[in-house]
Amino acid sequence: QVQLVESGGGLVQAGGSMRLSCAASRSISSPNVMGWYRQTPGNQRELVATITIRGGTYYADSVKGRFTITRDNAKNTVYLQMNSLKPEDTAVYYCRFTAPYDYWGQGTQVTVSS
């Protein structure tokens, strides 16, 4: 069974930066799409950003210009660089690898204090 292992969450002040990483626990074929989602209590999980194997990216409007998603295909790792963080970015962040499979990370808490 493949697990996605996330790292980099924690507590940061508003305006600060944080970098999340997510890697597969064992060697897998590179997923066509890697992405980051986030969820707050009582709300549905929402898409934050995705990146295709060719480097095409998508960002939610709420993070455009502040967050950057990148990937290392050789390491099957995806990153999320988060700058100018706001308290409303506080959430549990999940990574996801899709196509031809669908794997989720266990989630990492990001807390932005005002």
Side-chain angles (χ1 to χ4, degrees):
Q1 183 69 18
V2 175
Q3 292 182 330
L4 301 186
V5 181
E6 298 157 351
S7 59
L11 174 65
V12 66
Q13 287 189 333
S17 298
M18 184 177 287
R19 189 193 196 207
L20 305 181
S21 301
C22 172
S25 59
R26 62 174 179 84
S27 179
I28 55 175
S29 58
S30 284
N32 283 329
V33 182
M34 294 178 169
W36 288 96
Y37 294 70
R38 65 187 182 186
Q39 187 171 24
T40 54
N43 294 308
Q44 289 188 333
R45 196 169 295 184
E46 64 173 0
L47 176 63
V48 176
T50 61
I51 183 167
T52 69
I53 197 168
R54 294 189 176 185
T57 57
Y58 166 85
Y59 295 95
D61 287 343
S62 58
V63 306
K64 279 182 182 176
R66 301 187 298 119
F67 290 11
T68 302
I69 187 170
T70 57
R71 63 187 283 170
D72 184 331
N73 289 331
K75 297 180 179 179
N76 275 334
T77 300
V78 64
Y79 306 94
L80 186 68
Q81 178 65 44
M82 304 184 292
N83 298 328
S84 301
L85 282 161
K86 304 175 181 180
E88 50 263 43
D89 294 318
T90 295
V92 177
Y93 284 71
Y94 299 87
C95 61
R96 184 185 189 188
F97 290 5
T98 55
Y101 36 69
D102 191 356
Y103 298 138
W104 285 89
Q106 80 285 357
T108 185
Q109 177 70 44
V110 172
T111 302
V112 184
S113 63
S114 57

